[in-house]
Amino acid sequence: MIRPLASLCFVLATILSISAAETTDFVDLFNGKNLEGWTQRNGTATYQIEDGAIVGTTAEGSPNSFLCTDKLYGDFEMTFEVMLDPGLNSGVQIRSQCKDDQPTGRVNGPQVEISYDKMAGYIYGEAAGGWMTPDADRVPNDHVKNGQWNTYRIVAKGDRIQTWINGAQVSDLKHPERFQSHPKGFIGLQVHGIRKGTGPYEVRWRHLKIREL
């Protein structure tokens, strides 16, 4: 009787240790205090810290701006909260890079859409061919709530990218071509360019967490 009980205890301990690892191995991408570990690329939008959130503010006449992690990621799971001003389009770059691998080169790669135009959560190829999610699969949704914090979850593994908004799955995309060209890269927080005479607009991110798979 002792050996079966010991074996059962070992199995339970193993399961609990795995479960604990799955819930504790996320790390903070943003420390809530400063932009250590991040570098701005492209554009003249501003990024600052307010109440533990990264606040991106548009600059009139600026092209798209990106605040990018210094660390590169391949396969990962990521969660964050975002709040967007009406009238502004935004997104989060994943596995992205700069043209010619130069600091000032054009940011390019997959982008998870953040917007109120009902395309939120689908995958766009920023300076990389346009929409990666096929037209037929971009079913309009209203998961993003105006004036509220919205929770995104992204899982990128191999050529598959999955997204959820506020617990509802939006996208389950396989894109071998883009995975071949962008298997690994930085995470980037986009402030979209705006037309002259509009704005300023703000987008806020907080509780950015990631775990590598």
Side-chain angles (χ1 to χ4, degrees), residues 51-127:
D51 299 324
I54 298 174
V55 182
T57 305
T58 58
E60 188 175 320
S62 170
N64 295 347
S65 304
F66 304 88
L67 183 67
C68 306
T69 59
D70 296 332
K71 183 175 178 177
L72 307 183
Y73 296 91
D75 289 351
F76 64 88
E77 179 178 2
M78 178 183 178
T79 62
F80 60 90
E81 294 180 11
V82 62
M83 189 187 317
L84 181 71
D85 279 353
L88 181 62
N89 173 279
S90 183
V92 168
Q93 298 292 136
I94 62 172
R95 294 174 169 170
S96 292
Q97 52 195 237
C98 288
K99 185 178 180 180
D100 300 325
D101 200 26
Q102 295 298 314
T104 58
R106 178 69 163 91
V107 168
N108 60 89
Q111 178 191 119
V112 178
E113 180 79 1
I114 299 172
S115 66
Y116 292 117
D117 66 1
K118 301 186 183 300
M119 291 294 108
Y122 294 114
I123 316 301
Y124 182 79
E126 176 75 17

Side-chain angles (χ1 to χ4, degrees), residues 4-210:
L5 180 60
S7 297
L8 178 60
C9 290
F10 175 78
V11 171
L12 289 174
T14 301
I15 292 172
L16 289 173
S17 65
I18 292 173
S19 297
E22 288 177 347
T23 58
T24 59
D25 60 358
F26 278 88
V27 297
D28 292 326
L29 273 175
F30 166 54
N31 62 22
K33 300 176 181 178
N34 55 50
L35 296 179
E36 181 179 352
W38 296 80
T39 299
Q40 183 169 348
R41 302 178 185 275
N42 303 168
T44 57
T46 59
Y47 295 87
Q48 58 187 4
I49 312 302
E50 291 183 8
D51 299 324
I54 298 174
V55 182
T57 305
T58 58
E60 188 175 320
S62 170
N64 295 347
S65 304
F66 304 88
L67 183 67
C68 306
T69 59
D70 296 332
K71 183 175 178 177
L72 307 183
Y73 296 91
D75 289 351
F76 64 88
E77 179 178 2
M78 178 183 178
T79 62
F80 60 90
E81 294 180 11
V82 62
M83 189 187 317
L84 181 71
D85 279 353
L88 181 62
N89 173 279
S90 183
V92 168
Q93 298 292 136
I94 62 172
R95 294 174 169 170
S96 292
Q97 52 195 237
C98 288
K99 185 178 180 180
D100 300 325
D101 200 26
Q102 295 298 314
T104 58
R106 178 69 163 91
V107 168
N108 60 89
Q111 178 191 119
V112 178
E113 180 79 1
I114 299 172
S115 66
Y116 292 117
D117 66 1
K118 301 186 183 300
M119 291 294 108
Y122 294 114
I123 316 301
Y124 182 79
E126 176 75 17
W131 282 109
M132 292 168 54
T133 302
D135 293 349
D137 294 341
R138 295 200 310 274
V139 179
N141 69 77
D142 57 359
H143 298 312
V144 174
K145 306 304 180 184
N146 190 2
Q148 300 179 31
W149 287 104
N150 294 275
T151 301
Y152 274 64
R153 178 183 173 220
I154 304 167
V155 177
K157 192 167 185 178
D159 64 359
R160 186 182 188 185
I161 301 172
Q162 298 172 281
T163 65
W164 291 259
I165 301 175
N166 295 327
Q169 186 163 15
V170 176
S171 183
D172 188 349
L173 173 70
K174 283 195 172 185
H175 204 294
E177 178 186 359
R178 192 59 59 238
F179 178 61
Q180 184 175 12
S181 63
H182 293 72
K184 187 175 184 178
F186 51 71
I187 305 293
L189 310 181
Q190 184 200 55
V191 175
H192 204 282
I194 59 172
R195 299 187 305 274
K196 290 185 178 181
T198 61
Y201 302 113
E202 292 182 346
V203 54
R204 297 169 178 263
W205 293 270
R206 70 180 185 185
H207 301 158
L208 296 104
K209 297 179 181 294
I210 196 167

